[in-house]
């Protein structure tokens, strides 16, 4: 009987004892757990930049290709074989104003001038003869005792008018012949470069045939598209050319042979028409003496066709803070670390937000630390640890 008692009671006692020991261990562990300090908060490590108030001119970015101010397609005005070509009449060759680039055979046109001169001399002789006849006819009329006005037929007025008209026609023929002779020499009235050579010596040129393309080197122009949003930040001249001294300055930049080059330019006018497709206004920047051939510029050579990026000087603003564009949040706020290294979310006034920088005129003071580290859910009052600054002592 006793054996039976131990057989059933002993396992039950072991189970109860195990439960008591387990509860004892849990209670002991709970007693040793330190209390959580609800006031203690871990500082968030962030990077900051110092806000700096300044006065400056806003900058509008654009881009465009360099093109000549004046470009000419040389066309033959008279026919004939090309008998002379200037050594400078090659692609890239430079020439002076009035220099003969090509010459068409002038012999036929020189002969035409001589024929016109002879015809004019003959017409002058006929006119002199008619004048003498008219004067003699009037004298004979008076000698006959006639009084009153001399009839026009008697005074040979029709014959005199015809002779005078023939002289005028001969003078016009001579003027045309001389002009045709001048047109055998092809030149342009500016210093320039040859863009393209089409005709060469020995080739027959008909009237209207293209001979080449040249352009002036006194200045180059760049059409810079400006969006409607950017127009508010610029003080652009009208369609007429502006005073060079008051025209907005432009800084041009391009990569030439792996080297970054820079040129100074000026906005001289706007085209005055909003492009219907892109809704932009084109401002025209000018570079004086782009090739340095006229001694008016000391800048690097700026070749026609170069694609350049442009920074246009905009209107002047005072007391603004310039910050990287990425620090501005979608709701026009920025994160600021205050004097106690606590996070503040500031509403700011945005003068202009560009692709790289943002200009702020309120909300951030000079010298304040603006947080540049991206925080997914910034909470005002969060303790901050500023990178590069010693950690603040906590009590």
């Amino acid at each position: 009987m006793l054996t039976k008692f131990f057989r059933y009671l002993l396992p039950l006692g072991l189970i109860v004892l195990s439960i008591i020991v387990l509860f004892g261990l849990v209670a002991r562990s709970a007693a040793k757990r330190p209390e959580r300090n609800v006031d203690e908060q871990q500082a968030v490590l962030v990077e900051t930049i110092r806000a700096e108030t300044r006065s400056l001119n806003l900058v509008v970015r654009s881009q465009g290709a360099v093109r000549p101010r004046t470009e000419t397609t040389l066309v033959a005005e008279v026919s004939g074989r090309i008998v002379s070509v200037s050594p400078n009449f090659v692609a890239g060759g430079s020439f002076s104003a009035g220099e003969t680039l090509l010459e068409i055979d002038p012999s036929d046109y020189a002969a035409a001038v001589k024929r016109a001169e002879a015809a004019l001399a003959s017409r002058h002789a006929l006119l002199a003869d008619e004048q003498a006849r008219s004067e003699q006819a009037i004298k004979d009329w008076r000698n006959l005792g006639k009084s009153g006005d001399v009839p026009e037929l008697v005074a040979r007025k029709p014959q005199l008018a015809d002779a005078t008209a023939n002289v005028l026609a001969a003078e016009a023929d001579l003027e045309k012949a001389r002009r045709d002779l001048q047109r055998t020499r092809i030149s342009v009235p500016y210093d320039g470069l040859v863009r393209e050579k089409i005709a060469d010596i020995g080739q027959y040129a008909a009237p209207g045939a293209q001979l080449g393309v040249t352009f002036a080197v006194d200045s180059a122009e760049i059409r810079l598209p400006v969006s409607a949003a950017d127009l508010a930040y610029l003080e652009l001249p009208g369609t007429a050319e502006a005073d060079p001294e008051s025209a907005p300055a432009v800084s041009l930049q391009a990569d030439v042979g792996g080297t970054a080059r820079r040129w100074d330019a000026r906005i001289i006018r706007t085209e005055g028409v909003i492009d219907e497709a892109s809704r932009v206004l084109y401002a025209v920047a000018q570079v004086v003496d782009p090739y340095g051939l006229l001694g008016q510029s000391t800048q690097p050579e700026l070749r026609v066709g170069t694609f350049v990026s442009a920074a246009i000087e905009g209107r002047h603003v005072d007391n603004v803070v310039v910050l990287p564009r990425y620090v501005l949040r979608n709701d026009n706020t920025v994160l600021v670390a205050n004097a106690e290294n606590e996070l503040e979310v500031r509403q700011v006034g945005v003068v202009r937000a560009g692709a790289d920088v943002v200009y702020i005129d309120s909300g951030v003071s000079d010298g304040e630390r603006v947080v540049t580290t991206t925080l997914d859910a910034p909470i005002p009052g969060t303790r901050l640890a500023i990178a590069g600054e010693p950690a603040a002592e906590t009590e």
Side-chain angles (χ1 to χ4, degrees), residues 71-74 88-93 95 101-102 193-200 210-215:
E71 185 171 86
T72 306
T73 299
L74 303 180
N88 297 327
F89 189 65
V90 291
F95 57 87
L101 301 177
L102 301 97
L193 292 176
V194 178
R195 177 194 282 271
E196 182 181 6
K197 176 181 180 181
I198 300 176
D200 210 337
Q210 294 187 3
L211 308 175
V213 180
T214 62
F215 61 88

Side-chain angles (χ1 to χ4, degrees), residues 231-268:
L231 287 176
Y233 309 115
L234 297 175
E235 296 178 355
L236 295 176
T239 53
E241 293 192 1
D243 179 9
E245 298 299 325
S246 61
V250 183
S251 177
L252 305 176
Q253 188 170 348
D255 185 20
V256 180
T259 302
R261 297 289 179 86
R262 182 184 171 279
W263 301 268
D264 293 326
R266 290 272 180 185
I267 298 293
I268 58 170

Side-chain angles (χ1 to χ4, degrees), residues 25-75:
L25 292 175
V26 171
R28 184 179 179 184
S29 176
K32 290 185 177 180
R33 180 179 300 171
E35 294 183 2
R36 177 179 296 177
N37 186 358
V38 294
D39 295 332
E40 183 179 353
Q41 184 185 53
Q42 177 132 20
V44 179
L45 180 63
V46 295
E47 293 183 349
T48 63
I49 57 174
R50 291 280 180 179
E52 181 181 351
T53 303
R54 66 181 79 171
S55 297
L56 46 77
N57 288 89
L58 298 176
V59 174
V60 173
R61 304 284 176 180
S62 187
Q63 56 190 6
V66 180
R67 64 179 188 177
R69 174 184 172 88
T70 304
E71 185 171 86
T72 306
T73 299
L74 303 180
V75 175

